[in-house]
Amino acid sequence: MSTIPDPAELLALCEDLARTAGEHARARTADHGGVARTKSSAVDVVTAVDEEVEALLRARLAELRPDDGVLGEEEGSVAGTSGLTWVVDPIDGTVNFLYGIPSYSISVAVVSGSADPLTWTAEAGCVHAVALGTTWTAARGLGAWRDGERLGPRPAPPLARALVGTGFGYTVEERTLEGALVAQILPQVRDIRRLGSAAIDLCLVADGRLDAYYEIGLNPWDMAAGSLVVSEAGGAVQGLTGGPASPAMTIAGGYDLVEELAAALRAAGA
Ligand code: IPD
Ligand code: CA
């Protein structure tokens, strides 16, 4: 069994992987070839670049960390023996990427203990927003950074003055639920933003450009790196009733605001 490197070393590797993958995505932006296939619905799309970036990340990890597990959006899960799992989203914000909207990112995180957001310990993560030219990083116990600048806790407004990010799934069932929920939350907040990359949304909460964020139905790879950036920046990331964030619900923001938003979501029937 290989030894587990410290979070600083893992962070350097997350960033290196995300930046290398980012170069590939950048080179393929203008010529991505459109939709290669669809997943959960006709609008849940995958481009060749999603697949190429994930293959690139897996090849680098096989070389550098052969005993670690990998969980990725396009190719699923491969168990490891080291106790570490790399949780990767090759392009988070694929629809933005497809349309040439710059809000997409490569999200690379490494977790220990399990590959389940309810029980894992996130060790390090990097969200690299290739076309925005912004990179967020975090390592357990060491802090969070945007482009090398340390992020810290910031005062959050009450819910009534909060700018709240959210996102929607891809199926009719998910969207019907999410639409009903957002219709109840919108009148209670400053405004809602739907920017299209959950990983970036979480990082915007960490650096104060959103006050809070919530979403139902995130996958582990959407939230792994961004959630660590929020918590290492001094923010809260939780589920609907205060436990860990999970695919059921992810809520992020300053501690008091997250409590207020969670209560509003519960009252709205989430
Ligand atoms: C999606 C984005 C989006 C969120 C969806 C995710 P993808 O990931 O993060 O913002 O609302 O829930 O599935 O499909 O672009 O990798
Ligand atoms: Ca994603």
Side-chain angles (χ1 to χ4, degrees):
M1 190 189 229
S2 55
T3 53
I4 292 187
D6 66 32
E9 209 178 307
L10 291 170
L11 171 54
L13 188 47
C14 285
E15 186 167 359
D16 180 60
L17 288 164
R19 286 185 183 279
T20 305
E23 284 313 308
H24 182 83
R26 190 197 309 279
R28 297 277 277 117
T29 312
D31 176 30
H32 53 65
V35 175
R37 62 186 170 93
T38 60
K39 293 190 288 192
S40 62
S41 76
V43 292
D44 184 2
V45 298
V46 180
T47 70
V49 186
D50 294 78
E51 291 172 335
E52 290 161 12
V53 169
E54 185 157 329
L56 181 156
L57 290 169
R58 283 178 188 266
R60 291 272 287 147
L61 284 166
E63 220 178 275
L64 300 169
R65 301 283 316 164
D67 298 333
D68 298 350
V70 184
L71 171 62
E73 175 157 21
E74 312 308 341
E75 289 179 44
S77 159
V78 173
T81 54
S82 67
L84 288 179
T85 303
W86 294 82
V87 184
V88 303
D89 194 338
I91 298 184
D92 186 49
T94 298
V95 174
N96 284 344
F97 180 73
L98 186 68
Y99 278 75
I101 297 171
S103 288
Y104 64 88
S105 60
I106 289 156
S107 176
V108 177
V110 57
V111 304
S112 64
S114 87
D116 177 346
L118 283 171
T119 49
W120 73 30
T121 300
E123 299 288 343
C126 176
V127 176
H128 180 41
V130 183
L132 297 174
T134 304
T135 305
W136 295 267
T137 51
R140 180 173 59 86
L142 299 180
W145 296 265
R146 180 184 69 199
D147 297 328
E149 189 187 319
R150 181 79 187 251
L151 300 174
R154 34 190 85 240
L159 187 62
R161 287 202 302 282
L163 186 61
V164 178
T166 191
F168 308 121
Y170 290 111
T171 66
V172 169
E173 295 73 25
E174 287 171 308
R175 288 181 174 187
T176 303
L177 259 172
E178 290 157 349
L181 199 56
V182 80
Q184 292 197 63
I185 297 300
L186 178 57
Q188 302 181 55
V189 300
R190 180 188 297 278
D191 210 340
I192 292 283
R193 292 289 179 271
R194 196 289 191 248
L195 301 171
S197 161
I200 294 178
D201 292 334
L202 286 161
C203 292
L204 294 179
V205 169
D207 73 21
R209 290 187 281 175
L210 286 175
D211 295 312
Y213 164 80
Y214 77 90
E215 186 165 346
I216 299 173
L218 285 188
N219 289 296
W221 45 83
D222 299 316
M223 65 166 77
S227 295
L228 186 64
V229 174
V230 174
S231 58
E232 285 295 327
V237 188
Q238 63 165 63
L240 193 59
T241 52
S246 75
M249 177 65 89
T250 301
I251 309 172
Y255 279 83
D256 292 347
L257 178 54
V258 160
E259 259 183 41
E260 222 188 327
L261 179 54
L265 287 163
R266 288 194 300 268

